[in-house]
Amino acid sequence: MTFLKKFQIKSPELRQFLKDKISVAALVVLVLMYVGILFADFFAVYSKDYSNRKLSYAPPSNVYFIDKEGKFTKPYTYNWKREFNKDTLSIEYKQDRAQKYYLKFFKKGFEYKFLGLIKCSRHFVLPEDGGELYLLGLDINGRDNFSRILYGGQISLTIGFLALFISFPIGLLYGGISGYFGGRADNIMMRLAEAIMSIPSFYLLIILAAILPSGMTSSQRFALITVILAFIGWAGFARVVRGMVLSIKTQDYVRAAVVSGCSRGRIILKHILPQTSSYVIIAMALSIPSYILAESGLSFLGLGIQQPDASWGNMLKEAQEFANIIYRPWLLTPGFLIFVAVLSYNLIGDTIRDVLDPKSKIKA
């Protein structure tokens, strides 16, 4: 309440949303995720192409803040050295304590374009020259998991928004036209929408992704997957909008617009569809998780974003082996992030639904 009074938030809906501590926490988590992927080059310790095959499956680096004498010091780490254990016939990693490497903040590293515009080489944290910092360990090809998670999130967390920008305008207009005109046009349009809804979406994605040319780049695959997801997702949304329009078009203000001589297009776009905004906002918040899961599932199966490009789905694929789950749990981090992102969106979507549509809460 103190926060609300201090900033004098006038919107009752926003005040009600901010009172829900769980939803606010979920929003903060998502904001941190999107800040991380937006400035991935700045936060990443290594570039997209980095690979150290000599340290395949190296565990996360240990960062120390206390020296041998028990005093606080600048954060530092040790490099890993790989050894073969003749007794257990296995590869082991041990810290090379011959030299410590201090971590430096805002240090120069590999060059990149900041937000694609300004050339920059500063990074949030990097080890001293000769040092190695693997915050989430390495994968089988010696690639830094922490850096790849940041770059992979650019795909996994943005595909939902891109698909929404395609599917929701189509569904909104299609459902609005169908509900307003009614009759035979409504019957034909809804049968077409139901035919699309009857298509098993995930299996269709698998079939389409499997027949794609092998020479396609990950960017092309990403664009095609986005279009496919959007093509599948608009029909259900359009059907709900059509039902809302059937009710809205009988309102007095819509009849007044008809009598005043407004065109049908203007009535649909200016007087009817804006009244569905509450449902649209709720549906968008609750639809993004399904797109994230769909892309992650395809990439996990090897039919989405291809290596060496990173996606949370294809990064998680490496963790499907039982030995990796037991001995290399850091490989499960992409799966945990997918879970957190989907849960956060669902929590926010549920709260938005309660705020914008109180009747749904009463019915529940």
Side-chain angles (χ1 to χ4, degrees), residues 280-324:
V280 171
I281 295 173
I282 296 168
M284 289 177 67
L286 294 175
S287 297
I288 292 176
S290 62
Y291 291 124
I292 294 175
L293 290 173
E295 184 280 325
S296 299
L298 282 176
S299 297
F300 179 83
L301 296 173
L303 301 174
I305 306 302
Q306 303 292 313
Q307 299 284 358
D309 294 316
S311 163
W312 287 356
N314 63 22
M315 289 181 66
L316 186 61
K317 183 179 181 180
E318 198 168 349
Q320 66 180 331
E321 298 180 10
F322 181 75
N324 286 341

Side-chain angles (χ1 to χ4, degrees), residues 143-159:
R143 297 173 296 193
D144 180 49
N145 283 313
F146 178 77
S147 301
R148 283 173 56 78
I149 281 175
L150 292 174
Y151 292 120
Q154 293 177 339
I155 291 177
S156 298
L157 291 180
T158 57
I159 192 169

